[in-house]
Amino acid sequence: MLTKTPSDLKAARPPAAPTAKRPRDPRLDVFRGIGMMIILIAHVPNNPWILWIPARFGFSDATEMFVFLSGMASALAFGRIYDRDGFLMGIGRTAHRIWQVYWTHVLVFVVVVALMVAAGTKPDGTGYPSSLNLMPFLDDPGPQLLGLLTLSYVPNYFDILPMYLVILALMPVMLGLERLHRAAPFVAMGAIWLMAQAGVNLPAEPWSDRPWYFNPFGWQLLFFLGFFLMRRTLVPPPRTPALMALAAVIVIATVPFAWYVALNAVPVLAEAANTLRPLTDKTTFGLLRLVHFLALAYLAVHLVGEGGRRLKGPAVTVISVVGQQSLAVFVAGMVTAQVIGIALDHTGRTGLTVAAGNLAGMAVLVAVAYAVRWFKASPWKG
């Protein structure tokens, strides 16, 4: 009788069934895709379309969408690794993402600086580099290059990715606290947010006291709310008529305090909006921005139906692909927005040229999303 070796037994075993992959939530992809389009419009210099983005009608804007949904996506991409493969492996995965985002930030800065230098001078005689406060870098690149690499030199246009880096670095801390107690990360999130409201921030340039425009200690609150909501550590509120009505009232009531038409027409509203400024501050992520965004998100998530069942059609499919490739699309949008702004400076901002520029920019984002998806699929591997 022949005795089977362990290797024979292993070979005779049927292959293990593959682990079922959690289906993508269409709401996550669609809303991220919409956010990418809005951010593109907001980044185009002197873009008349900016008067019609959500930020003109409320306290929150597409930045909140980007950060909150990034938190939810990170829970899927990274949180499960901590749970499945252990804390050390999760930290390694987070560090890898930080590495990717860090060098993306550096590359985007270099590309945009090169674009501004190549564009030269605006029709009004001012230089394009000065429009993004890049002259300190060009006048004395040595120290500022060191500042760029150490994130102590963060010009305003390049401030979202550095904020994201700091928040990613906080992820192992929050997940460690979650293991100690379900409520522990929320206590830490609140404490760090209060630090931001008290003025704790990071320096944006060595020659002044200007801080980072997006204070990561304030914005981490929104990121981790999305993160722990997706992990079900935080239970979402149920859909009730009372909560729907309250959310609608909050969204509608904020319009007069944000819409430029109302502010210009009624001086009392402008004074009230100025009084509310500490609570609507974008740098520290003021409390009313959070309240407005949560109300808007509550309405949106229920209006699209359970599980996003109402999100159907070719346009939804396209915008979902844009949302799935959010980092690549965001980076492409930063560069494309400046190209559109330069083109509009020379063609003039008529209704036709502005529409053509914005629609062309959106087409570029769609093309980038589909191209990145194709490359990620590695079709050459068969």
Side-chain angles (χ1 to χ4, degrees):
M1 176 185 275
L2 296 174
T3 303
K4 291 186 177 181
T5 65
S7 60
D8 294 330
L9 293 172
K10 183 176 180 180
R13 265 192 221 115
T19 303
K21 187 176 181 180
R22 180 174 177 174
R24 295 188 72 95
D25 189 322
R27 296 168 296 181
L28 181 63
D29 293 333
V30 169
F31 287 127
R32 278 207 298 180
I34 293 172
M36 291 299 101
M37 296 299 183
I38 296 172
I39 290 174
L40 169 72
I41 293 172
H43 277 166
V44 174
N46 302 315
N47 188 1
W49 281 25
I50 201 172
L51 298 177
W52 301 103
I53 65 175
R56 302 286 80 82
F57 302 95
F59 297 141
S60 65
D61 58 29
T63 310
E64 277 81 2
M65 293 176 64
F66 178 81
V67 174
F68 183 77
L69 295 173
S70 292
M72 298 184 78
S74 295
L76 298 176
F78 308 130
R80 288 184 293 182
I81 295 177
Y82 283 84
D83 299 333
R84 183 189 65 214
D85 301 324
F87 215 75
L88 187 60
M89 192 67 71
I91 291 175
R93 178 66 181 92
T94 304
H96 180 251
R97 186 57 168 175
I98 290 173
W99 178 260
Q100 290 176 320
V101 175
Y102 173 81
W103 287 111
T104 299
H105 165 67
V106 173
L107 178 61
V108 170
F109 179 85
V110 172
V111 170
V112 172
V113 170
L115 175 63
M116 295 294 101
V117 171
T121 305
K122 295 182 178 182
D124 63 6
T126 61
Y128 279 103
S130 61
S131 66
L132 291 180
N133 193 26
L134 296 174
M135 292 311 300
F137 178 84
L138 296 174
D139 291 339
D140 193 12
Q144 307 326 320
L145 181 59
L146 179 61
L148 173 71
L149 296 177
T150 58
L151 301 182
S152 59
Y153 172 54
V154 183
N156 279 352
Y157 192 67
F158 308 93
D159 39 24
I160 291 185
L161 293 182
M163 172 192 71
Y164 188 42
L165 288 170
V166 175
I167 293 175
L168 283 175
L170 288 172
M171 189 186 300
V173 176
M174 295 300 175
L175 284 169
L177 290 171
E178 182 191 40
R179 293 190 176 191
L180 293 177
H181 193 279
R182 188 184 186 93
F186 301 101
V187 173
M189 289 155 52
I192 296 172
W193 178 81
L194 288 173
M195 288 168 51
Q197 307 314 301
V200 177
N201 201 345
L202 298 171
E205 54 195 23
W207 59 86
S208 77
D209 58 357
R210 183 176 69 85
W212 284 18
Y213 182 71
F214 290 105
N215 187 333
F217 306 121
W219 283 86
Q220 56 79 32
L221 177 65
L222 186 61
F223 178 93
F224 286 115
L225 283 176
F227 184 88
F228 287 114
L229 187 66
M230 184 59 78
R231 282 179 63 80
R232 301 293 179 181
T233 307
L234 179 65
V235 180
R239 177 176 181 173
T240 65
L243 284 178
M244 290 290 286
L246 177 61
V249 167
I250 291 172
V251 171
I252 294 171
T254 60
V255 173
F257 300 96
W259 191 28
Y260 74 99
V261 174
L263 295 176
N264 292 337
V266 185
V268 174
L269 286 176
E271 292 176 7
N274 190 57
T275 302
L276 293 173
R277 194 76 62 196
L279 299 176
T280 62
D281 183 63
K282 192 167 186 176
T283 292
T284 60
F285 187 57
L287 181 61
L288 288 182
R289 297 186 72 91
L290 174 63
V291 172
H292 179 262
F293 173 75
L294 292 179
L296 198 59
Y298 183 83
L299 290 173
V301 76
H302 290 300
L303 288 175
V304 300
E306 185 177 356
R309 59 184 173 82
R310 296 193 182 101
L311 296 172
K312 298 177 181 178
V316 169
T317 301
V318 172
I319 204 71
S320 295
V321 175
V322 173
Q324 290 166 11
Q325 312 300 336
S326 59
L327 179 59
V329 169
F330 174 77
V331 168
M334 290 185 70
V335 178
T336 302
Q338 293 303 314
V339 173
I340 295 171
I342 294 168
L344 292 177
D345 286 341
H346 293 276
T347 62
R349 285 171 170 76
T350 66
L352 180 60
T353 58
V354 168
N358 283 284
L359 293 176
M362 293 178 185
V364 169
L365 299 194
V366 171
V368 167
Y370 274 89
V372 171
R373 188 177 72 164
W374 186 82
F375 279 110
K376 285 184 176 180
S378 302
W380 47 82
K381 292 183 178 179

